[in-house]
Amino acid sequence: MAGIWRSTRESCRMSYPGYPPAGGYPPAAPGGNPWGAPSYPPANPPPIGLENVGSYANQFNPDYMSGMASNMSGTFGGANVPQSMYPPVPGGYPPVPPGGFGQAPGGFGQPPQGQQPSYGMYPPAPGGNPPTGMPSYPGYPGGPMPAAGQQPQPYPGQQPYPGQQPMPPPGHQQPMPNYPPGPAVNPSMPSYPGPTVPTITPGASGNRGTVRDAPSFDPLRDAEVLRKAMKGFGTDEQAIIDCLGSRSNKQRQQILLSFKTAYGKDLIKDLKSELSGNFERTILAMMKTPVQFDVYEIKEAIKGAGTDEACLIEILASRSNEHIREISRAYKAEHKKTLEEAIRNDTSGHFQRLLISLSQGNRDESTNVNMAAVQSDAQALYAAGENRLGTDESKFNAILCARSKAHLIAVFSEYQRMCNRDIEKSIIREMSGDLESGMLAVGG
């Protein structure tokens, strides 16, 4: 074995000039093995696996490895390069810097004693290496390690990117940019300042118009706005719409009075002189009270040739008793004729009787329901229509025009249970024309 080793040394000395080094080999590490162990393989070798690779670092002798690197650098670097290894270059080689090329104190990449070597050119940052997924520090060889929170040094002559943000310290997350808030999920729904969206109580009854009383209402100020809109050459229709369209009917009546008080003129006459067409009719209709408007519509429905029966049905079948009585008084005061006389002159037959009954304003408006009367009326309606040949319209008229709405709802339910047919279908089967439309409106 010793002879083989001597032969190998002799052949290396002949093939590679400068080997072995003139100063001899560095002393071996304690234990007689350059790797720091007394023998190979070690007495208790660790199992081979990726999870145990880190444990092999303790088997190397750092002092021996550092000395070997220094000796090799002195042998093959700097002025000690054997001249016979490479052909001469015209002009010679460039001057060698003091200490040779790439000579670092303590050897190449050797960390201080007791410190874990890093996986790059830089020593590990305070607190350990960056966590997985953190970007590495791009730098040039030999560049200094940037401090936590600072940018890495660029290559010599390279300018940093404009607006480049500093790297976050290890273990900290990159801050997210602040984006403007997105649109609402639903831009068409208004947002309310309260904690919850207001709800509407179901079952509300009465007049539910969309135009309510305007807040901070001043009739004199509105009268001045209307005066300026109609004064001089031309008319500001939009100002009239904005003013009258956002006031309730009660507030519009106060504007009428304030206009005459402030200017001594009738607002209705001024509007008629400044407006025309459908816009004029709409604005003038808005300036009337509900009773005045119904009187006007009834008069328009029955004057001239023909009659607008649908208009008469809509008004008389849907208004309260008090409202109908006010219509009768206002109609007589304005046209010198009672409402009943006007109806009688323009209608006939059972439809005329239906309208006259409704024009009395005498229907029961109580909410009490007598079940005995309900059964009796249901049987009477069945006997007057489905259970006979022909139809007794007077019986339908007497029940539908005199009973309360609550009573009629119970009657219609009992009627359907009795003859297995809806009351509306029975009316359609038994009647026709304007009488059918009138009975359906009253029963609805």
Side-chain angles (χ1 to χ4, degrees), residues 44-180:
N44 296 315
I48 300 301
L50 294 179
E51 67 275 2
N52 297 303
V53 172
S55 63
Y56 285 101
N58 298 327
Q59 299 183 15
F60 302 109
N61 191 328
D63 295 334
Y64 180 81
M65 298 298 295
S66 176
M68 177 180 285
S70 300
N71 191 21
M72 293 177 65
S73 174
T75 302
F76 295 101
N80 298 323
V81 178
Q83 299 297 325
S84 60
M85 292 182 62
Y86 301 100
V89 179
Y93 293 99
V96 179
F101 293 100
Q103 178 68 22
F108 290 90
Q110 175 64 31
Q113 185 69 24
Q115 180 176 345
Q116 179 73 19
S118 62
Y119 295 98
M121 292 185 299
Y122 301 114
N129 291 321
T132 305
M134 293 294 294
S136 61
Y137 295 104
Y140 58 91
M145 176 65 183
Q150 296 183 357
Q151 301 184 31
Q153 296 294 332
Y155 291 95
Q158 179 185 2
Q159 298 296 328
Y161 296 105
Q164 184 176 4
Q165 299 295 329
M167 295 296 295
H172 294 270
Q173 187 177 2
Q174 179 74 19
M176 295 298 294
N178 294 326
Y179 295 100

Side-chain angles (χ1 to χ4, degrees), residues 217-257:
F217 171 66
D218 186 358
L220 288 174
R221 182 182 57 191
D222 289 350
E224 182 179 359
V225 170
L226 294 175
R227 173 64 176 169
K228 290 181 179 180
M230 296 183 291
K231 185 178 180 180
F233 181 76
T235 304
D236 189 354
E237 290 87 356
Q238 188 60 47
I240 296 176
I241 294 173
D242 294 339
C243 179
L244 299 180
S246 59
R247 304 295 184 264
S248 65
N249 188 271
K250 180 179 65 176
Q251 291 175 340
R252 290 194 289 266
Q253 305 311 312
Q254 298 179 32
I255 294 174
L256 281 173
L257 181 60

Side-chain angles (χ1 to χ4, degrees), residues 190-211:
S191 58
Y192 295 95
T196 57
V197 179
T199 58
I200 299 176
T201 304
S205 60
N207 299 327
R208 292 172 290 181
T210 57
V211 180

